[in-house]
């Protein structure tokens, strides 16, 4: 009795001598491999060869300084709140007299950490920041051997005064125009020009 119609008739064809030695299969495989010699390679010889990446690639973050070299971050926590991976932690501190050149706002981040193993490079922290302080860049996060080395603190995130990181390509004219809208008050210190 047949319960379903899904049964299949299995071929009991007797294999030839060539088939017993897998010759047709080997030949077919070699033809497929050989055909790839004439096709464009899908891979690159990384790290000697790098694929071109977009100017707005979302790689390692930078905490920007302002035009005077003071840290722009005011430790408001909005980036941490926006982060879907809960990768950002920080501690705030009050700016002391005489530290105006170091920190732009009265409150600053004494500790600011991003766990690069948690980060999914979505860029929401960049979008959330009202101070134009955090940007993702086209830099790739370094390879590490220890998990704790992926905790990036201010020493790795804040840009060096002598080695500024240009993020102007991330800020298209459309974005600049959007940020200039007076009703949005996105950034009161926005000077209507792209931040370098
Ligand atoms: S890029 Fe996304 S996941 Fe990474 S720290 Fe920013 S908000 Fe969090
Ligand atoms: S990076 Fe921007 S959003 Fe995050 S704490 Fe600093 S000022 Fe606030």
């Amino acid at each position: 009795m047949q319960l379903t119609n899904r049964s299949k008739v299995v071929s009991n064809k007797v294999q030839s001598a060539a088939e017993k030695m897998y010759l047709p299969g080997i030949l077919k495989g070699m033809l497929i491999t050989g055909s790839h010699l004439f096709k464009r390679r899908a891979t690159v010889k990384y790290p000697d060869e790098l694929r071109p990446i977009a100017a707005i690639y979302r790689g390692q973050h930078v905490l920007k300084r302002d035009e005077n070299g003071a840290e722009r971050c005011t430790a408001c926590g909005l980036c941490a709140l926006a982060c879907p991976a809960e990768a950002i932690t920080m501690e705030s501190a009050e700016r002391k007299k005489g530290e105006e050149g170091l920190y732009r706002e009265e409150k600053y981040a004494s500790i600011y950490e991003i766990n690069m193993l948690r980060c999914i490079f979505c860029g929401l922290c960049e979008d959330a920041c009202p101070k134009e302080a955090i940007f993702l860049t086209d830099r790739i996060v370094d390879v590490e051997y220890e998990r704790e080395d992926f905790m990036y603190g201010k020493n790795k995130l804040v840009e060096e005064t002598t080695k500024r990181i240009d993020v102007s390509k991330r800020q298209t004219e459309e974005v600049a125009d959007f940020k200039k809208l007076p009703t949005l008050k996105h950034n009161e210190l926005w000077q209507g020009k792209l931040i370098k």
Side-chain angles (χ1 to χ4, degrees):
M1 189 179 70
Q2 189 177 352
L3 294 176
T4 70
N5 57 359
R6 286 180 294 183
S7 59
K8 282 184 189 167
V9 179
V10 177
S11 166
N12 285 328
K13 186 168 97 45
V14 180
Q15 288 184 320
S16 67
E19 281 172 335
K20 280 182 182 165
M21 288 190 287
Y22 306 108
L23 289 181
I26 291 171
L27 198 65
K28 197 173 159 197
M30 286 175 76
L31 280 174
I32 292 172
T33 306
S35 71
H36 282 281
L37 291 176
F38 307 100
K39 286 185 186 160
R40 194 164 163 264
R41 266 189 300 127
T43 53
V44 293
K45 291 174 185 164
Y46 184 86
D48 300 326
E49 229 176 278
L50 298 177
R51 280 191 197 283
I53 53 175
I56 52 164
Y57 182 84
R58 294 198 293 260
Q60 186 186 320
H61 314 61
V62 61
L63 284 175
K64 293 289 291 176
R65 295 176 182 276
D66 70 5
E67 54 287 351
N68 302 317
E71 290 177 20
R72 301 179 73 95
C73 176
T74 187
C76 65
L78 285 177
C79 50
L81 201 64
C83 178
E86 298 185 358
I88 303 177
T89 48
M90 74 191 73
E91 272 180 32
S92 63
E94 202 175 329
R95 185 181 70 188
K96 294 191 183 66
K97 212 164 182 276
E99 290 183 335
E100 292 79 5
L102 297 176
Y103 312 109
R104 194 175 65 161
E105 313 286 339
E106 286 174 4
K107 185 160 71 81
Y108 69 95
S110 53
I111 297 173
Y112 190 106
E113 285 181 339
I114 301 180
N115 184 339
M116 292 298 175
L117 289 178
R118 296 191 75 128
C119 177
I120 53 170
F121 301 96
C122 61
L124 291 180
C125 49
E126 179 180 323
D127 292 344
C129 182
K131 298 294 177 186
E132 310 293 329
I134 189 165
F135 288 90
L136 276 69
T137 68
D138 58 359
R139 298 172 301 163
I140 311 279
V141 172
D142 286 337
V143 176
E144 307 286 359
Y145 294 99
E146 306 294 335
R147 294 184 75 83
E148 55 267 29
D149 292 336
F150 286 98
M151 290 300 296
Y152 276 33
K154 282 182 71 176
N155 56 333
K156 284 190 176 175
L157 294 171
V158 179
E159 70 178 341
E160 293 174 35
T161 38
T162 51
K163 219 163 107 192
R164 306 298 286 263
I165 294 167
D166 185 358
V167 292
S168 56
K169 287 204 184 108
R170 305 189 64 76
Q171 303 164 298
T172 59
E173 291 301 333
E174 289 79 11
V175 172
D177 286 344
F178 173 75
K179 286 178 174 175
K180 274 187 269 180
L181 290 178
T183 46
L184 293 175
K185 281 177 86 76
H186 178 77
N187 179 11
E188 287 180 334
L189 293 165
W190 176 255
Q191 289 103 23
K193 60 184 180 196
L194 300 179
I195 296 170
K196 290 269 183 180

